[in-house]
Amino acid sequence: MNDGLYLRFLGAAREVGRSSVELYYRGTRVILDSGVNLGASLEDRFPVDPEGPVDAVLLTHAHLDHSGYTPKLVKENDCPIYATPPTRDVSEILLIDYLNLYPKEEGKPFEHRDIMALRKKEKLIQYYAPSQVGDVEFIPFSAGHVLGSAMFLIKTDHGNILYTGDINTTGTRTLRGADTNLPEVNYLIIESTYGGNQDIHPSRKKVEKQFVENIRETLLSGGVVIIPAFALGRAQEVILTLIHYLESGKLPEVPIFVDGMIREVSKIYSLYWSWLRPELQRRVRQSKRSVFDHKAIEEVRNRDEILELTEPFIVVTTSGMLQGGPVIIYLKKFAGDKRNLIYLTGYQVKGTRGRMLLDGIREIPLSDDEKIVVEARVEFADFSAHSDQSGLLGFISKLKGLKEVILVHGEYSKMIDLREKLRRRGIATFIPSIGEKVYLNY
Ligand SMILES: [Zn+2]
Ligand SMILES: [Zn+2]
């Protein structure tokens, strides 16, 4: 056996959550992402341990299922963490929030100071600029997923490995699709969140049209619209969509409140406007204002006042899967009324309250022996920041020199669907299980 180059799957193996891949090459060990599983019990919440001391962590983006365990990993190994500047800034916000909401009785995985300590260990990266850790050379490319999201091309003597993290190949309101003009990729480690045969994202235009129509109906009949959204990515897409349709007169002029972490993350979007799609950059250059500046948009300062409002309004708030955050307060107040609308906007991990709601459950348990009975209308808008099956296949088929595809970050049944589609195209595909080790230089 030659231990010159191997991969080990520390998480996100046949599951969505706790993304983490160990890459060992000629004595250098790097960890690609180190996330948490937000829907899992303590036992399956964190990635399994790497086989030895870690030389560097490479972070694709700030979502907690990729970044949530980095403070612990960096602390234990006293190693650098490579990330783009927006990812660095957003992940700090999300990590603090994660720690603040972490159930005390379960023992926090790290301390506030460990999050702060990441700043001293950070190595900032830019798209297309190569970096080196020991014998591992890597180049970040844009993954098109959220602000600052990267995929990593790792060069070895045994071939190039591409780790996508989360990837979106189609453009959205905030970002251009992922880079597809890549050097040769021999081994591809790719997410498969929407890799299933049923996973066909409708066009964004269609999604927005339905979204706006449903919201309009609710508002005109005097209801309140609650839009739970992930603080990073989805919320900004939702806010820009609402602004667009307000401006075109398709949505009635009602206040749009923005609550939770979304406020802070949107500030980072405003700060790093040059990482947004070119149309938005132009708009910022011309207007000298944030893309989220609009008279209808209000940050929530006094939540009690909003809870007392009798007029229709929209609130965009965290958390996107209803696992915590201000959305719970809004649900407690508004979910019991038929006139209101709860609009889920993102992937709902198994075991989360959002998933229960999506699956038709109308009595949603809260942690403290309490439950919310949902009478409000529930809708789902597919504002996905991930490629669907045909998007993934399209991306894969454009790669040159491909020997094998390794599927991570997906439900097992969807991975099987995708593997079958790839097999028909003559592409070898592997679905690792947790902790499994794969040698690439056989
Ligand atoms: Zn993500
Ligand atoms: Zn993810």
Side-chain angles (χ1 to χ4, degrees):
M1 201 181 350
N2 184 339
D3 64 351
L5 174 63
Y6 69 76
L7 300 170
R8 244 181 103 234
F9 298 88
L10 310 182
R14 308 179 183 197
E15 63 184 341
V16 176
R18 58 167 170 169
S19 276
S20 196
V21 179
E22 173 178 359
L23 181 144
Y24 179 90
Y25 180 51
R26 289 185 181 158
T28 300
R29 190 183 316 275
V30 299
I31 305 296
L32 308 164
D33 287 338
S34 188
V36 294
N37 188 331
L38 294 168
S41 59
L42 193 51
E43 195 184 327
D44 300 321
R45 191 171 296 161
F46 308 124
V48 300
D49 288 330
E51 284 196 330
V54 174
D55 297 295
V57 179
L58 275 54
L59 179 59
T60 58
H61 67 289
H63 278 148
L64 289 166
D65 63 317
H66 299 256
S67 73
Y69 204 58
T70 55
K72 173 93 166 164
L73 191 67
V74 168
K75 182 191 181 184
E76 276 180 349
N77 291 281
D78 194 27
C79 65
I81 174 165
Y82 289 78
T84 62
T87 294
R88 182 267 319 264
D89 284 357
V90 177
S91 77
E92 184 175 293
I93 295 170
L94 299 187
L95 286 167
I96 292 169
D97 188 52
Y98 180 61
L99 199 63
N100 288 343
L101 296 176
Y102 201 88
K104 275 195 198 74
E105 65 279 10
E106 291 179 7
K108 301 195 183 230
F110 47 81
E111 302 292 326
H112 191 267
R113 61 172 175 271
D114 301 324
I115 302 173
M116 297 299 120
L118 288 175
R119 292 262 168 183
K120 294 201 179 72
K121 291 292 174 186
E122 74 194 17
K123 300 249 187 219
L124 294 180
I125 51 176
Q126 300 284 336
Y127 296 143
Y128 321 121
S131 295
Q132 187 101 24
V133 181
D135 273 353
V136 175
E137 188 194 341
F138 66 93
I139 308 170
F141 290 90
S142 168
H145 172 60
V146 290
L147 183 76
S149 64
M151 42 190 185
F152 296 115
L153 184 98
I154 297 139
K155 293 185 161 180
T156 78
D157 287 349
H158 307 289
N160 292 343
I161 303 162
L162 182 72
Y163 173 64
T164 62
D166 290 349
I167 183 171
N168 193 7
T169 50
T170 45
T172 61
R173 285 206 175 263
T174 51
L175 298 171
R176 266 193 175 158
D179 287 322
T180 51
N181 192 9
L182 300 166
E184 193 169 278
V185 172
N186 308 113
Y187 300 97
L188 172 68
I189 310 166
I190 190 166
E191 65 127 320
S192 46
T193 320
Y194 290 101
N197 292 341
Q198 313 305 321
D199 293 324
I200 305 158
H201 294 324
S203 76
R204 188 52 80 88
K205 216 173 169 180
K206 229 171 155 178
V207 172
E208 288 187 356
K209 201 169 160 247
Q210 191 63 55
F211 180 68
V212 167
E213 256 173 45
N214 290 339
I215 291 177
R216 188 183 150 82
E217 267 172 36
T218 298
L219 294 174
L220 292 180
S221 61
V224 164
V225 181
I226 302 169
I227 308 178
F230 304 144
L232 166 59
R234 209 61 42 88
Q236 290 75 27
E237 291 286 330
V238 165
I239 295 169
L240 287 184
T241 303
L242 293 173
I243 290 177
H244 177 84
Y245 288 98
L246 267 179
E247 283 176 348
S248 68
K250 295 223 169 70
L251 273 181
E253 290 261 352
V254 298
I256 300 170
F257 297 108
V258 177
D259 204 348
M261 283 295 113
I262 298 167
R263 295 169 296 186
E264 285 177 65
V265 175
S266 296
K267 286 193 180 101
I268 308 285
Y269 267 71
S270 302
L271 202 61
Y272 291 101
W273 56 270
S274 67
W275 293 68
L276 297 171
R277 60 178 306 138
E279 294 85 336
L280 292 185
Q281 293 182 30
R282 270 200 295 281
R283 209 196 289 175
V284 173
R285 276 203 184 88
Q286 283 163 8
S287 70
K288 308 277 187 287
R289 286 164 58 188
S290 157
V291 290
F292 305 112
D293 254 13
H294 189 278
K295 60 180 188 311
I297 306 279
E298 272 181 57
E299 281 191 11
V300 171
R301 293 209 168 75
N302 187 346
R303 207 170 282 145
D304 292 338
E305 273 178 21
I306 299 170
L307 294 174
E308 294 311 317
L309 284 179
T310 51
E311 297 295 304
F313 65 88
I314 300 170
V315 59
V316 186
T317 182
T318 50
S319 74
M321 299 190 215
L322 317 183
Q323 287 301 81
V327 71
I328 302 295
I329 297 166
Y330 293 104
L331 288 178
K332 278 185 181 172
K333 173 82 183 181
F334 298 108
D337 189 334
K338 273 194 184 72
R339 286 177 307 168
N340 299 336
L341 169 62
I342 302 167
Y343 227 130
L344 299 168
T345 55
Y347 183 81
Q348 305 293 321
V349 171
K350 273 186 183 161
T352 61
R353 294 191 189 109
R355 181 63 170 255
M356 289 179 205
L357 206 55
L358 196 60
D359 288 345
I361 297 169
R362 289 295 175 264
E363 287 194 5
I364 306 295
L366 294 180
S367 47
D368 45 355
D369 294 331
E370 241 186 305
K371 62 181 183 202
I372 296 175
V373 178
V374 179
E375 297 279 345
R377 177 178 176 191
V378 178
E379 292 287 346
F380 174 75
D382 191 355
F383 275 105
S384 183
H386 298 262
S387 288
D388 61 7
Q389 192 192 60
S390 74
L392 294 169
L393 290 170
F395 176 78
I396 293 168
S397 60
K398 280 194 198 104
L399 298 176
K400 292 180 282 288
L402 195 57
K403 287 187 193 163
E404 188 169 15
V405 174
I406 299 166
L407 302 180
V408 293
H409 196 294
E411 291 166 18
Y412 189 44
S413 61
K414 299 192 178 214
M415 292 178 163
I416 291 171
D417 284 353
L418 187 57
R419 180 174 64 186
E420 178 57 22
K421 288 279 163 74
L422 289 166
R423 191 188 62 78
R424 281 189 221 159
R425 288 167 166 76
I427 300 169
T429 307
F430 178 66
I431 302 176
S433 46
I434 187 97
E436 195 169 359
K437 190 169 175 176
V438 181
Y439 288 89
L440 296 185
N441 53 327
Y442 43 81

